Amino acid sequence: MKLRIKRRRFGQLMIASTLVTAIANFPQRTFAQKKLLSPTPPSSMEASSVPVKLRVNGAEHALEIDPRVTLLDALRERIGLTGTKKGCDHGQCGACTVLVDGRRINSCLTLAVMQEGAAITTIEGLAQGDKLHPMQAAFIKHDGFQCGYCTPGQICSAVGLLNEGHAKTDDEVRELMSGNICRCGAYPNIVNAIQEARSQQT
Amino acid sequence: MKLFAYTRATEQDVAVNTVSRNQSAKFIGGGTNLLDLMKENVEQPNQLIDINSLPLSKIEVTRNGVRIGAMARNSDVAYNAIIQERYPLLSQALLAGASPQLRNMATVGGNLMQRTRCYYFYDTAMPCNKREPGSGCAAIEGFNRIHAIFGASDQCIATHPSDMCVALAALDAVVQVQGPKGDRQIPITDFHRLPGDTPQIDTVLQHGELITAVDLPNLPFAKRSHYLKVRDRASYAFALVSVATALDIENGIIRAARVAMGGVAHKPWRAVAAEEILVGAKVNQETFRAAAEATVKEAKPQKHNKFKVEMAKRAIMRSLTEVGEMA
Ligand SMILES: Cc1cc2nc3c(=O)[nH]c(=O)nc-3n(C[C@H](O)[C@H](O)[C@H](O)COP(=O)(O)OP(=O)(O)OC[C@H]3O[C@@H](n4cnc5c(N)ncnc54)[C@H](O)[C@@H]3O)c2cc1C
Ligand code: SF4
Ligand code: FES
Ligand code: FES
């Protein structure tokens, strides 16, 4: 695997300049065909935005977004949930991990438009009021972080791991948490935290 | 990323027709490879047809084996009880690939179609015949540690990165395809191509054709099978070399054998020479060594990947030893 840690400051938002060419390329004939999908955005693409409803942590968000916006950027830049982090933007670090219908995924490699109708849970949605999710509490108790940048992804991933139920031993936890890189190397404490949360499961 | 029009398909026919009419349209499954490449402007579709709502994610037992729907997620296939019991090498190969998050997203169809991880292919500043036919191959004279040792051409020396496909090659799986002109079946070993003079074409799938399922034939001895992956770190890395093996053993004699390799060629590499040596031979280290040596005899390594030849040999022997020792 090629590690490509390029930080994109403007990320998905730097789109306006490419718009014109894209409109020019867009094949007009697709609109005329019968039994073909009428593409979104519809014939006038000048707006280049599509309506998308996202259900995040139980709340509905009606957005108008460019179809290129990833779920990660929609969460952070549009909805304002900045708990989910962008590390690599290429599926290689796990900082952007969120739960979609209870399953952990990398939010940088899916489009927001693809997640309409799904139940998305981010780090902000794990606690119940002031009561931390047991995984959050375990990370604090075991000091499962240093700088904290990877932590939201680690915790969401760990919650997904417990939902999946395939890890018992420390080695299995390590292997099934390998999708989350910690640059600070807090791995031993992360494993301890997850094992404690796992043992408290009913 | 170039702008595209997005639509979610709910009918297979409509999805197929829409993509066939537009040379620049693409299906999107999990998105884990396509979006990655679109962010780098390596792929620039102007229309994406989201096939995630198509009812193609079942894993079912058929008369002739097991059918895996093209939209089944890699993790669901890997943890499926029938797959684990009948085709452990496939489950192991899937679990050796990517990360749990990516496996939850990645589909079987997308995994088959994933593109090479050659760094020059990803880097639009570099020449690459696969990305831009005729521009040259930066890897041949460049850094080629991860590249092919079998079946490369003077146009491209890339490898196919999939783990799943190596197991499918060992199992003689069949890819089910729906196209604008009807359905067809493609044996897995014919599905991916060698680069030759047209490295831009990875597979024999035509534009607009939709993968609907993968069929695994009944293969009782596949219970005795193994997937070994050698990589730069213990997990979450592509294979330098991988081996899928299955042996049918009776009274210490091998009656049938399957050996396939990953990370060594532009397609999952079925080691036919090894299989020929194994069949009829005794289960012992000499047999396994002979099979491994026969496989690497035709290897043509590049400047930086000579280590792969010895690594391939040892990986074959180790995987066969594992299978040989299974009760
Ligand atoms: C960081 C990282 C590490 C990885 N490590 C590994 C690894 O170790 N081993 C490994 O094997 N893989 C690895 N992968 C690759 C991963 O397995 C693939 O990205 C994934 O399988 C692609 O599936 P998808 O559904 O996301 O495909 P998409 O990205 O949705 O699509 C990929 C291509 O397939 C086409 N396509 C999708 N579905 C169909 C269909 N039904 N019919 C026709 N065409 C279709 C699309 O048009 C597109 O061209 C890794 C990926 C990343 C990002
Ligand atoms: S090996 Fe193939 S993919 Fe890599 S640079 Fe050469 S032509 Fe491109
Ligand atoms: S930001 Fe690194 S995996 Fe998504
Ligand atoms: S705590 Fe700093 S990267 Fe993990």
Side-chain angles (χ1 to χ4, degrees):
Chain A
M1 183 177 77
K2 181 179 172 200
L3 264 184
R4 193 177 261 272
I5 311 284
K6 235 191 253 169
R7 198 57 79 63
R8 273 136 220 269
R9 247 189 92 212
F10 303 104
Q12 305 305 307
L13 302 176
M14 210 173 70
I15 51 171
S17 60
T18 56
L19 248 173
V20 182
T21 35
I23 297 166
N25 290 342
F26 197 76
Q28 290 303 318
R29 64 194 169 122
T30 36
F31 304 128
Q33 299 293 344
K34 253 198 136 183
K35 259 216 126 188
L36 296 182
L37 293 167
S38 72
T40 314
S43 43
S44 71
M45 289 201 11
E46 57 268 18
S48 98
S49 64
V50 291
V52 180
K53 277 205 200 77
L54 291 181
R55 190 147 46 92
V56 186
N57 303 330
E60 288 272 354
H61 298 267
L63 308 174
E64 287 279 333
I65 53 173
D66 185 293
R68 285 170 291 188
V69 174
T70 60
L71 176 60
L72 173 60
D73 286 334
L75 291 169
R76 289 181 55 85
E77 316 282 340
R78 305 302 170 96
I79 301 177
L81 291 171
T82 52
T84 308
K85 301 296 184 235
K86 183 183 285 192
C88 64
D89 212 19
H90 285 277
Q92 301 179 349
C93 76
C96 65
T97 304
V98 299
L99 299 159
V100 171
D101 296 328
R103 289 163 67 115
R104 49 179 165 162
I105 65 153
N106 303 99
S107 61
C108 69
L109 286 186
T110 188
L111 298 170
V113 282
M114 293 167 71
Q115 299 304 333
E116 203 166 49
I120 299 153
T121 307
T122 68
I123 189 72
E124 291 93 340
L126 288 179
Q128 303 208 309
D130 283 341
K131 194 169 178 293
L132 291 181
H133 186 281
M135 190 64 76
Q136 292 173 305
F139 265 69
I140 292 172
K141 180 174 165 197
H142 290 274
D143 227 354
F145 45 79
Q146 200 178 99
C147 76
Y149 195 81
C150 72
T151 313
Q154 298 277 3
I155 292 177
C156 286
S157 187
V159 171
L161 172 130
L162 292 199
N163 290 348
E164 290 157 14
H166 298 301
K168 290 193 177 63
T169 65
D170 286 1
D171 277 350
E172 286 164 351
V173 170
R174 274 186 210 105
E175 167 60 25
L176 292 176
M177 285 298 292
S178 69
N180 293 82
I181 309 286
C182 175
R183 197 68 182 77
C184 299
Y187 298 112
N189 295 358
I190 292 172
V191 173
N192 292 342
I194 294 172
Q195 287 294 36
E196 173 160 321
R198 194 177 66 81
S199 70
Q200 289 167 351
Q201 263 185 324
T202 40
Chain B
M1 200 188 294
K2 289 274 163 62
L3 184 57
F4 53 82
Y6 168 87
T7 338
R8 198 182 285 205
T10 49
E11 282 174 69
Q12 276 164 236
D13 297 0
V14 181
V16 167
N17 288 342
T18 309
V19 173
S20 344
R21 297 295 169 108
N22 174 6
Q23 274 306 315
S24 180
K26 274 194 167 285
F27 300 117
I28 185 162
T32 60
N33 190 226
L34 185 54
L35 288 173
D36 195 13
L37 291 166
M38 284 167 67
K39 288 180 185 194
E40 299 292 347
N41 282 325
V42 174
E43 299 272 15
Q44 307 188 339
N46 67 11
Q47 188 176 16
L48 285 186
I49 305 303
D50 182 345
I51 52 177
N52 285 285
S53 302
L54 298 180
L56 293 174
S57 47
K58 275 209 219 78
I59 301 169
E60 34 185 10
V61 176
T62 61
R63 207 149 32 92
N64 307 317
V66 173
R67 169 164 290 187
I68 306 173
M71 297 311 295
R73 306 293 149 172
N74 285 186
S75 50
D76 292 332
V77 180
Y79 290 117
N80 180 279
I82 299 160
I83 301 294
Q84 286 184 320
E85 195 210 318
R86 298 193 192 180
Y87 310 101
L89 78 175
L90 176 57
S91 176
Q92 290 164 15
L94 284 161
L95 292 177
S99 68
Q101 291 96 315
L102 289 162
R103 295 195 289 267
N104 279 344
M105 309 169 80
T107 63
V108 167
N111 194 320
L112 280 160
M113 296 298 291
Q114 66 171 298
R115 308 210 65 191
T116 186
R117 308 302 285 205
C118 170
Y119 1 85
Y120 304 109
F121 174 70
Y122 265 77
D123 187 345
T124 50
M126 299 300 285
C128 168
N129 288 325
K130 187 181 278 300
R131 177 168 30 75
E132 224 182 293
S135 63
C137 168
I140 289 175
E141 294 295 320
F143 192 56
N144 44 38
R145 181 171 176 272
I146 65 168
H147 290 76
I149 57 171
F150 295 120
S153 73
D154 57 4
Q155 300 282 308
C156 177
I157 59 171
T159 59
H160 192 263
S162 169
D163 292 298
M164 178 191 83
C165 294
V166 179
L168 294 184
L171 291 169
D172 272 334
V174 176
V175 183
Q176 298 287 337
V177 169
Q178 178 182 342
K181 295 191 204 91
D183 298 349
R184 64 175 179 133
Q185 282 101 43
I186 308 169
I188 182 75
T189 43
D190 297 337
F191 186 83
H192 299 93
R193 299 175 64 256
L194 288 179
D197 289 334
T198 50
Q200 70 275 21
I201 309 170
D202 293 344
T203 71
V204 299
L205 200 74
Q206 300 293 308
H207 183 77
E209 282 186 320
L210 176 75
I211 301 166
T212 55
V214 170
D215 285 347
L216 305 177
N218 280 323
L219 195 72
F221 73 86
K223 276 193 177 137
R224 202 172 196 156
S225 65
H226 182 248
Y227 187 76
L228 175 68
K229 181 172 177 181
V230 187
R231 44 191 155 171
D232 282 326
R233 57 183 187 195
S235 186
Y236 202 13
F238 285 93
L240 290 167
V241 164
S242 71
V243 190
T245 55
L247 292 176
D248 186 3
I249 300 171
E250 205 178 85
N251 303 323
I253 304 290
I254 300 165
R255 294 199 314 179
R258 299 287 173 84
V259 182
M261 303 199 74
V264 294
H266 198 258
K267 60 186 285 187
W269 194 253
R270 191 68 182 265
V272 183
E275 293 175 7
E276 279 167 6
I277 285 177
L278 291 167
V279 174
K282 285 207 184 99
V283 177
N284 60 35
Q285 286 300 307
E286 278 98 274
T287 301
F288 297 161
R289 181 168 299 115
E293 272 163 7
T295 306
V296 299
K297 227 165 88 187
E298 45 179 323
K300 288 197 185 66
Q302 307 294 324
K303 187 166 173 212
H304 303 112
N305 69 2
K306 295 195 175 62
F307 72 96
K308 277 196 182 182
V309 178
E310 182 64 22
M311 188 179 269
K313 213 164 88 181
R314 294 190 196 190
I316 293 173
M317 288 184 61
R318 197 172 119 201
S319 186
L320 286 170
T321 305
E322 293 271 346
V323 178
E325 283 170 357
M326 282 176 198

